[in-house]
Amino acid sequence: MDKISIFVETYGCQMNEYDSDRIINSLMADPVNNPEDADIIIVNTCAIREKADHKAVSAVGKYKKLKIKNPDLIIGMAGCVAQLYGKKLIKQIPHLDFVVGPREIPKLRDLIFDIKESPNHRKINTSMDVEEVFKVNPYHKPGKVNGFVSIQQGCNKKCAYCIVPTVRGNEINRPLKEILEESRLLINQGAKELTYIGQTVNSWKYEGQRFYNLLDHLEELEGLERIRFTTSFPRDITSKMIDSMEKNSKVCRQLHLPVQSGSNRILKQMKRTYSIEWYRECILKLKESMPDLSLSTDIIVGFSDESTKDFEETMRLIEDVKFDTIYSFKYSVRPGTPGEKISNHVNDDIALDRLHLLQTRQREISLENNIKQLKKSYKVLVENQSKNNPNELFGRTSQNKAVYIKNISEKYIGKIVEVTKTEAFQNSFIGELT
Ligand code: SAH
Ligand code: F3S
């Protein structure tokens, strides 16, 4: 096959971003920024909520006119919506040439070859038992300062609302050796900061090694300056993990720890396996060990028969913990999940009111937290030029706070610099070299 050019449109989580980069490498393709220049267009989809599905399907719809102009163009859908509705999508969308599930990415090249051989043969590749799920490394733009490394596929938890175990299968942990190899590859291409990803990343284990051992191995990687990981499952935070994070010179002071609800009654129905007291205790231990740790969380409102009192407990939690960021969602029923069998979910209007209250208060908290950091100096890894202002560079602190740095030379891209924060917003700062 000649070298092909590819345009990938990505929806959803970091795992999908990572998979999009694997799609590019699996096809040994050249990524292009304009779909009109592409031989292949792939929409990598997210099924986590109802709206996410619909968005993905309409995204494929908008490429129909390109296919009419250029009948050789191949259009595919990847990701969780593809996995969930494979056959249905092929029937529903006549200009779609193939659907491919997350576990089939390593076999994409063969699939495209087959389509080129027999163009009228549309393909559905959504098998779950593909061996070597981690086989293809992600494409990394040379010189890019940060990158992702997947250490786990799928999820073994059974949260009642969640479609991930259905579309991404059971948890498969990646061998330590492969994790280190892929890390070295990205570091050699210029990465200074790597984010290790998995649905419950801290439940990773392999041949007797646990997640806290993995952190020790990663610290030894030469050239790697910063380590992040996401998403952590609260129940799998152990004292050993906290100790390992604390003493590791490269692990960033940032933890995403989805709580979902502040009410024990709802947590139980969600099958989250921890109580709110347990979660609060866990936060206390983390903060005691790392006082400068930045915390973020996910919250779902309106699940099952969530009462005003249950919701107030969620509000109390956010008031007490003062998370830096919260990703909050209105519950949306997902096909095939246990939540689908619950008939009395909170009605939409009430759920939307609760979401609004939560988000309004959280915006204030995020800003209050940020204002407290003004005039202080932080280590910032400079990533690139600011998209809004060519005279500023963009970087992040260890706590994952976005900082736009003024009066700084481009030679600092890829370097860690001391920056004093001079202006605070809800999601970012302006700063100057200290
Ligand atoms: N593996 C992660 C995240 C999974 S999905 C974890 O351990 O939590 C990301 C977030 O989407 C979840 O944390 C949850 O807050 C939200 N989410 C998942 N299913 C949802 C649903 N059916 N409706 C609304 N939000 C949902
Ligand atoms: Fe979903 Fe719960 Fe796993 S939110 S990804 S089933 S930990």
Side-chain angles (χ1 to χ4, degrees):
M1 241 193 292
D2 296 334
K3 187 94 175 169
I4 35 188
S5 55
I6 187 168
F7 179 80
V8 191
E9 181 170 339
T10 311
Y11 290 85
C13 63
Q14 286 160 331
M15 192 61 86
N16 264 14
E17 278 181 46
Y18 175 83
D19 280 348
S20 290
D21 288 340
R22 287 171 71 225
I23 287 172
I24 296 170
N25 266 4
S26 172
L27 290 171
M28 298 181 226
D30 277 329
V32 291
N33 293 326
N34 184 349
E36 304 206 4
D37 300 334
D39 304 315
I40 301 181
I41 295 177
I42 297 184
V43 180
N44 193 7
T45 60
C46 171
I48 202 80
R49 282 167 292 276
E50 220 170 357
K51 270 198 207 142
D53 289 20
H54 297 164
K55 257 198 220 162
V57 173
S58 60
V60 174
K62 70 176 185 263
Y63 296 122
K64 186 177 172 182
K65 51 181 190 297
L66 290 183
K67 179 98 175 173
I68 294 171
K69 254 206 283 183
N70 169 16
D72 290 337
L73 174 67
I74 296 176
I75 299 181
M77 190 195 272
C80 297
V81 178
Q83 183 68 39
L84 187 63
Y85 296 119
K87 212 173 174 178
K88 201 169 127 193
L89 294 162
I90 287 285
K91 277 197 190 143
Q92 193 186 333
I93 312 174
H95 64 281
L96 187 63
D97 294 296
F98 69 91
V99 294
V100 61
R103 291 206 177 172
E104 295 256 17
I105 291 173
K107 294 206 301 200
L108 254 180
R109 205 170 153 81
D110 293 343
L111 185 145
I112 297 293
F113 192 77
D114 287 350
I115 292 176
K116 286 196 169 203
E117 289 287 288
S118 45
N120 295 323
H121 203 113
R122 299 159 77 208
K123 291 273 179 189
I124 306 165
N125 283 23
T126 49
S127 145
M128 267 291 177
D129 51 20
V130 177
E131 282 173 38
E132 304 179 71
V133 276
F134 298 109
K135 204 166 113 193
V136 182
N137 294 318
Y139 166 79
H140 186 87
K141 199 168 169 219
K144 189 161 178 260
V145 174
N146 42 24
F148 296 121
V149 177
S150 165
I151 69 167
Q152 185 182 63
Q153 280 282 341
C155 181
N156 274 356
K157 316 286 188 217
K158 302 269 179 288
C159 304
Y161 50 81
C162 185
I163 201 160
V164 170
T166 317
V167 286
R168 288 198 170 257
N170 280 345
E171 177 183 305
I172 304 177
N173 289 301
R174 191 174 195 181
L176 175 65
K177 189 166 156 271
E178 282 184 28
I179 297 173
L180 296 175
E181 274 168 12
E182 189 166 294
S183 303
R184 284 195 199 99
L185 194 84
L186 298 183
I187 295 165
N188 288 340
Q189 290 168 332
K192 306 274 187 241
E193 175 184 295
L194 291 174
T195 302
Y196 293 85
I197 53 175
Q199 297 298 338
T200 57
V201 77
N202 57 331
S203 68
W204 180 89
K205 50 180 183 290
Y206 192 80
E207 290 181 348
Q209 302 265 321
R210 296 281 171 160
F211 184 71
Y212 64 87
N213 304 119
L214 173 64
L215 292 180
D216 293 344
H217 288 289
L218 299 177
E219 189 183 18
E220 283 166 21
L221 285 169
E222 213 171 300
L224 182 63
E225 309 250 2
R226 283 180 168 186
I227 298 165
R228 299 188 194 274
F229 50 86
T230 196
T231 299
S232 294
F233 189 71
R235 194 65 217 216
D236 293 326
I237 303 261
T238 59
S239 310
K240 283 187 173 146
M241 176 182 162
I242 299 177
D243 290 346
S244 169
M245 283 176 73
E246 185 190 341
K247 69 175 199 316
N248 192 309
S249 60
K250 296 183 180 174
V251 167
C252 287
R253 292 295 179 248
Q254 173 215 0
L255 194 69
H256 183 59
L257 203 57
V259 65
Q260 313 299 359
S261 167
S263 152
N264 279 331
R265 216 174 60 79
I266 299 299
L267 286 174
K268 206 162 181 185
Q269 293 191 59
M270 288 177 162
K271 301 214 165 20
R272 286 293 285 182
T273 71
Y274 51 82
S275 67
I276 201 63
E277 292 76 23
W278 195 93
Y279 183 91
R280 281 175 181 266
E281 183 68 27
C282 183
I283 298 264
L284 280 180
K285 284 187 199 149
L286 283 158
K287 279 281 196 183
E288 205 172 81
S289 146
M290 292 165 280
D292 58 344
L293 184 72
S294 167
L295 289 163
S296 55
T297 199
D298 291 347
I299 288 175
I300 299 177
V301 300
F303 181 76
S304 184
D305 59 347
E306 182 189 66
S307 65
T308 311
K309 185 167 161 284
D310 294 317
F311 176 65
E312 280 167 6
E313 286 175 21
T314 301
M315 290 299 284
R316 200 171 318 135
L317 180 81
I318 74 155
E319 213 52 69
D320 293 347
V321 177
K322 302 238 180 322
F323 293 101
D324 276 325
T325 309
I326 292 182
Y327 302 91
S328 49
F329 315 98
K330 178 170 78 66
Y331 171 65
S332 131
V333 182
R334 302 285 58 213
T337 60
E340 201 186 12
K341 297 195 187 75
I342 300 175
S343 55
N344 58 339
H345 292 292
V346 172
N347 88 38
D348 258 19
D349 290 346
I350 296 179
L352 278 174
D353 280 350
R354 288 181 188 166
L355 190 63
H356 181 71
L357 274 173
L358 177 74
Q359 291 179 340
T360 306
R361 179 61 192 128
Q362 181 55 39
R363 274 198 288 273
E364 293 166 1
I365 294 174
S366 297
L367 183 61
E368 283 159 18
N369 285 356
N370 283 355
I371 287 173
K372 284 191 192 134
Q373 300 192 344
L374 279 177
K375 301 203 176 100
K376 294 186 185 142
S377 180
Y378 291 83
K379 287 195 164 63
V380 173
L381 173 60
V382 185
E383 292 179 16
N384 46 37
Q385 214 163 38
S386 153
K387 289 189 180 77
N388 306 327
N389 184 342
N391 297 322
E392 289 173 2
L393 296 186
F394 173 82
R396 288 176 187 276
T397 65
S398 169
Q399 288 78 6
N400 207 28
K401 298 274 187 184
V403 187
Y404 293 89
I405 315 161
K406 283 185 161 168
N407 306 322
I408 177 174
S409 142
E410 267 178 43
K411 70 172 194 237
Y412 287 110
I413 292 178
K415 304 261 176 345
I416 292 181
V417 292
E418 281 282 344
V419 174
T420 303
K421 293 178 174 172
T422 53
E423 273 181 76
F425 307 97
Q426 188 197 313
N427 294 318
S428 65
F429 291 88
I430 291 181
E432 285 184 20
L433 288 177
T434 303

